[in-house]
Amino acid sequence: MAKSKTYYFCQECGYQSSSWLGRCPECGKFGTFSEEVVKATSTAGSRRAVSASASTPQRIQEVTYSETKRIATHCAEFDRVLGGGIVPGSLLLLGGEPGIGKSTLLLQTALAIHDRKLLYVSGEESEQQIKMRADRIGINTDQCYVVSETVTQRIFEHVDAVQPDILVVDSIQTISTEEIDSPAGSVSQIRQCTTEFQHYAKTTGVPVLLIGHITKDGTLAGPKVMEHIVDAVLQFEGDRNYGYRILRALKNRFGSTAEIGIFEMQGSGLREVPNPSEFLLSQRDETLSGAAVAATLEGARPMFIEVQSLVSSAVYGTPQRNANGFDMRRLSMLLAVLEKRCGFKLGAKDVFLNIAGGLRVNDPAIDLAVACSILSSNVDIPISPRICFAAELGLSGEVRPVARVEQRIAEANRLGFEKIFISKYNLRELDVKRFHIEIVAVSVIEEAFRSLFA
Ligand code: TYD
Ligand code: MG
């Protein structure tokens, strides 16, 4: 009988302590520690197992490798985020809020990879429920095996029986190992189970895809302790009220983290969206004030997004600010800049901002569109839907250059825009005559304001 030892783990960040603590010294949260019993042999045992496969040191020039063939997922958006397919022997974590579509994405991918044998282990759903979902998705394959199981030791028995080329586990929070007494989903369980799957992936070369739930504030709680163990962390996000879903790589040992994949949730599973701009732009004919189109880039892909604002006199004492899909502090900063530079008393107004489609945009090139949409709503003069914007705003109201402006202009051209506003400092690198679109270069926000509304 292995000796057990009690440890206390912070359930937020996974910090381990031999006594209970009121405040976590790692993440600073209060009251997050809970007791977990760990068998003394477990970690030492698995560590021995991992190190047994380790090799001897070599000179770096002498190390040879063959270009490992990636496994194509037959889903262009998924492959794009992974950097060209699943790397054999890799361990991958797919995180996301409950109900966003993680199980659907991986089951759909599992069904689509018809040229490999695949084992889909679910700790959340029965085989019948998985089958119902598969019927909804409607892809037929004889290479996908499903099993409902929650204990790793038995999962590995199934793996020995099926001998899959890919293993999917849904979700890590429902899986437990007999090595540890604490309940499934606790920090020590998650850490130990992940280590076991990592060991399996590294020794057999079979890639393992793990699903992990994340908490409302967007952190991979629990899975935080997995982040450094796994090779790639993907996040599936979106607004549940809209159909769009975005797949992002937060960490990727085998590819870039700049690429995103875009999907639309439909009645029959997830549909890939290769051309996001065309449906992100609401097809408005009549021109309404407060809307402006931003030419943003996500990874290597241009995304044209409509920004909508509403500026109105504050009815109650304190003006309200609300931003959907845009950082609130950045909005406050832009409002302060507009107040100072364009002389509007925005401090006494309610300002509501909405990024169409429920998307969250990280590209700073959206700034100018946000500022112009606010100005448009404030003066109640519409901006033509054939105009778009690509520039960042500085604190003194200067319109700053953005990366890869040429690509944005080319895409604006392709989508049929007539005019694009960019920073004057982007002009130098440009061959303006190449484009059949009017390029308006401005250096301060007042110039943009005068050009649009004067
Ligand atoms: P699910 O994959 O179960 O989410 P997660 O595993 O991240 O918790 O998907 C949940 C939602 O997706 C559910 O509310 C129903 C919806 N859905 C569709 O709209 N179409 C479909 O074809 C499927 C399978 C699910
Ligand atoms: Mg699920």
Side-chain angles (χ1 to χ4, degrees):
M1 178 66 196
K3 223 168 89 213
S4 304
K5 199 162 181 345
T6 302
Y7 288 105
Y8 295 84
F9 290 93
C10 170
Q11 300 297 315
E12 280 294 325
C13 69
Y15 184 83
Q16 181 179 346
S17 161
S18 53
S19 62
W20 188 85
L21 299 173
R23 178 174 184 270
C24 177
E26 183 82 15
C27 65
K29 296 250 167 65
F30 287 91
T32 55
F33 276 82
S34 73
E35 180 180 342
E36 295 180 16
V37 181
V38 180
K39 277 186 198 162
T41 55
S42 65
T43 44
S46 59
R47 202 169 295 150
R48 207 175 304 131
V50 173
S51 62
S53 64
S55 49
T56 50
Q58 304 175 45
R59 284 204 184 84
I60 191 157
Q61 300 101 309
E62 291 162 8
V63 178
T64 56
Y65 65 94
S66 53
E67 192 59 56
T68 42
K69 192 114 181 63
R70 291 182 184 235
I71 303 169
T73 62
H74 301 282
C75 168
E77 298 293 301
F78 201 1
D79 278 346
R80 182 205 303 271
V81 176
L82 289 169
I86 303 170
V87 174
S90 64
L91 184 63
L92 208 141
L93 170 65
L94 175 68
E97 282 178 23
I100 205 75
K102 303 178 294 298
S103 307
T104 307
L105 177 65
L106 285 196
L107 182 63
Q108 189 169 337
T109 309
L111 296 171
I113 305 178
H114 49 79
D115 47 359
R116 307 279 173 149
K117 201 195 274 181
L118 201 142
L119 178 59
Y120 186 100
V121 181
S122 179
E124 302 194 337
E125 291 161 305
S126 66
E127 289 88 352
Q128 290 78 14
Q129 286 170 317
I130 303 172
K131 171 71 172 142
M132 278 163 63
R133 193 193 291 265
D135 283 344
R136 245 178 117 170
I137 295 168
I139 305 177
N140 224 337
T141 170
D142 56 358
Q143 291 291 308
C144 182
Y145 292 74
V146 295
V147 64
S148 177
E149 185 57 74
T150 56
V151 179
T152 55
Q153 279 74 13
R154 262 175 276 141
I155 292 175
F156 288 120
E157 283 169 23
H158 297 312
V159 165
D160 285 338
V162 175
Q163 294 286 329
D165 298 317
I166 302 175
L167 177 64
V168 177
V169 179
D170 182 8
S171 65
I172 191 72
Q173 275 103 340
T174 57
I175 306 293
S176 59
T177 169
E178 287 168 351
E179 299 278 335
I180 292 177
D181 286 337
S182 51
S186 59
V187 170
S188 52
Q189 277 289 5
I190 289 179
R191 182 169 5 201
Q192 181 62 24
C193 292
T194 311
T195 310
E196 287 179 19
F197 287 119
Q198 181 201 30
H199 182 223
Y200 166 72
K202 298 293 171 235
T203 50
T204 60
V206 175
V208 179
L209 280 59
L210 303 172
I211 288 179
H213 295 294
I214 63 170
T215 46
K216 269 274 170 271
D217 59 5
T219 54
L220 285 164
K224 262 251 155 337
V225 298
M226 308 163 64
E227 270 180 18
H228 65 279
I229 307 177
V230 300
D231 296 305
V233 180
L234 306 184
Q235 182 153 314
F236 206 37
E237 57 190 45
D239 195 314
R240 226 176 310 168
N241 300 325
Y242 298 92
Y244 322 123
R245 300 286 184 272
I246 293 186
L247 185 67
R248 268 181 221 280
L250 302 182
K251 159 182 173 175
N252 191 354
R253 285 198 181 134
F254 312 111
S256 118
T257 53
E259 292 295 341
I260 63 167
I262 303 178
F263 298 87
E264 188 183 2
M265 181 64 92
Q266 294 186 329
S268 55
L270 291 156
R271 185 182 73 90
E272 296 178 46
V273 180
N275 224 337
S277 305
E278 275 158 25
F279 80 118
L280 285 175
L281 299 175
S282 64
Q283 309 295 325
R284 59 194 161 111
D285 305 323
E286 78 272 48
T287 44
L288 300 168
S289 71
V293 176
T296 69
L297 274 184
E298 282 285 352
R301 181 156 50 165
M303 262 202 331
F304 281 56
I305 300 174
E306 190 174 289
V307 181
Q308 296 164 342
S309 349
L310 175 65
V311 179
S312 67
S313 305
V315 183
Y316 307 105
T318 327
Q320 299 186 57
R321 271 115 182 65
N322 203 334
N324 203 348
F326 192 73
D327 184 39
M328 277 293 283
R329 273 169 300 183
R330 186 125 194 113
L331 173 63
S332 304
M333 184 217 105
L334 291 179
L335 289 174
V337 170
L338 293 181
E339 174 137 6
K340 183 112 181 163
R341 290 286 144 192
C342 299
F344 291 119
K345 290 273 163 283
L346 292 168
K349 300 270 177 91
D350 286 342
V351 179
F352 305 97
L353 186 77
N354 190 26
I355 308 293
L359 292 175
R360 176 157 278 283
V361 181
N362 299 324
D363 188 354
I366 196 173
D367 279 0
L368 188 58
V370 170
C372 290
S373 95
I374 293 170
L375 292 174
S376 158
S377 177
N378 192 47
V379 296
D380 202 17
I381 298 175
I383 298 171
S384 155
R386 306 256 62 91
I387 297 180
C388 62
F389 303 86
E392 194 183 335
L393 265 193
L395 279 180
S396 52
E398 80 271 24
V399 176
R400 302 172 61 173
V402 291
R404 309 238 284 276
V405 72
E406 212 155 314
Q407 196 182 348
R408 300 172 202 260
I409 298 174
E411 177 74 1
N413 204 350
R414 195 184 73 75
L415 289 172
F417 282 91
E418 286 158 8
K419 210 187 260 191
I420 181 167
F421 279 72
I422 62 167
S423 162
K424 215 168 227 164
Y425 307 99
N426 264 135
L427 262 190
R428 256 173 266 153
E429 49 187 283
L430 272 185
D431 178 14
V432 183
K433 284 189 278 308
R434 257 191 56 210
F435 305 102
H436 305 285
I437 179 171
E438 185 183 344
I439 298 172
V440 185
V442 291
S443 53
V444 285
I445 181 70
E446 297 97 301
E447 279 179 44
F449 177 72
R450 274 197 303 273
S451 164
L452 284 167
F453 306 114

